[in-house]
Amino acid sequence: NAGVTQTPKFRVLKTGQSMTLLCAQDMNHEYMYWYRQDPGMGLRLIHYSVGEGTTAKGEVPDGYNVSRLKKQNFLLGLESAAPSQTSVYFCASSPSGTQYFGPGTRLTVL
Amino acid sequence: AQKVTQAQTEISVVEKEDVTLDCVYETRDTTYYLFWYKQPPSGELVFLIRRNSFDEQNEISGRYSWNFQKSTSSFNFTITASQVVDSAVYFCALKRYGGSQGNLIFGKGTKLSVKP
């Protein structure tokens, strides 16, 4: 039982490049979330999903897109990366109340 | 609006001291969840505890204890006889009741340093 996994762990992009972060969970959770963590800001929600095929915007959705084609996977896409998107990205999944987090992806945009 | 305030940005203690991390929250909901997460230097977020708003019983787990007071909108976390391994950033968080009610609202965290 791996819990929540995130791929990749680290990534460096140039401004304007695109990439996709993958989150996978093997706990059959309905709800999945993408957060970003910036120094002194805590964690802020980017997008979330309440079930397969659904997505919704969070607090800071601009510049990101998501997809939940399969219940176990939640993808976060950056179409045209900007330096302001340099951050640590965390995925979480939840059966309802408690959210369980993945190990994070450290993204640097130059 | 929902908000979580962790007024202590950083705390430094010597091993074996007791330490309390403060958390004050704001919400108009009558039912909600409160959480504490630990983020050690390795970076992962570790779930510590969840409290439902209708359960004001305090909880103890080993050296950890939590004091939930609805009257003062506080959910404080105490570590007894701190150890170096307790060094981490601790986050308090609030969530609306019900699975579809979106995200966790995090405080900005308290960095705890425990020195030998």
Side-chain angles (χ1 to χ4, degrees):
Chain A
N1 202 348
V4 181
T5 58
Q6 292 183 232
T7 309
K9 287 186 170 47
F10 303 93
R11 186 72 188 267
V12 178
L13 288 179
K14 293 182 180 177
T15 297
Q17 287 185 318
S18 63
M19 78 162 294
T20 300
L21 281 67
L22 171 64
C23 176
Q25 53 98 0
D26 60 3
M27 298 175 282
N28 203 35
H29 289 168
E30 287 295 331
Y31 307 102
M32 296 187 75
Y33 308 83
W34 277 107
Y35 293 87
R36 60 177 288 172
Q37 184 180 26
D38 301 297
M41 299 290 292
L43 279 84
R44 294 179 293 168
L45 184 71
I46 304 171
H47 286 281
Y48 66 100
S49 167
V50 299
E52 182 179 320
T54 74
T55 63
K57 293 181 180 180
E59 182 186 354
V60 289
D62 294 342
Y64 305 95
N65 56 74
V66 288
S67 64
R68 183 111 181 258
L69 298 179
K70 293 182 179 180
K71 186 177 184 179
Q72 64 267 36
N73 296 337
F74 195 30
L75 279 62
L76 178 71
L78 287 72
E79 290 186 350
S80 180
S84 61
Q85 293 177 304
T86 293
S87 189
V88 180
Y89 291 86
F90 285 96
C91 175
S93 73
S94 169
S96 62
T98 302
Q99 293 182 19
Y100 299 94
F101 286 81
T105 294
R106 185 172 293 274
L107 175 66
T108 301
V109 183
L110 302 175
Chain B
Q2 297 187 309
K3 185 179 178 182
V4 175
T5 302
Q6 295 180 254
Q8 304 149 309
T9 306
E10 292 192 39
I11 301 175
S12 183
V13 299
V14 176
E15 211 169 16
K16 297 184 183 175
E17 280 186 35
D18 298 348
V19 58
T20 295
L21 310 182
D22 297 333
C23 173
V24 173
Y25 62 93
E26 295 174 29
T27 181
R28 291 181 184 164
D29 294 344
T30 54
T31 51
Y32 46 88
Y33 294 117
L34 292 164
F35 300 82
W36 277 95
Y37 285 86
K38 174 182 180 180
Q39 187 174 40
S42 50
E44 73 271 26
L45 279 158
V46 179
F47 164 71
L48 294 179
I49 189 171
R50 181 182 90 184
R51 228 32 188 161
N52 301 333
S53 56
F54 45 82
D55 180 3
E56 286 194 70
Q57 256 192 330
N58 291 329
E59 182 150 343
I60 298 174
S61 175
R63 297 183 297 106
Y64 295 174
S65 62
W66 292 269
N67 181 282
F68 175 32
Q69 292 204 347
K70 216 167 175 177
S71 60
T72 56
S73 297
S74 65
F75 186 42
N76 296 338
F77 173 28
T78 297
I79 302 175
T80 303
S82 60
Q83 299 176 2
V84 172
V85 292
D86 296 326
S87 296
V89 180
Y90 291 87
F91 291 97
C92 181
L94 168 71
K95 184 182 180 301
R96 305 184 82 172
Y97 196 74
S100 63
Q101 295 299 318
N103 55 302
L104 291 166
I105 305 296
F106 282 87
K108 294 187 177 179
T110 297
K111 182 177 182 180
L112 174 65
S113 298
V114 182
K115 308 213 181 295

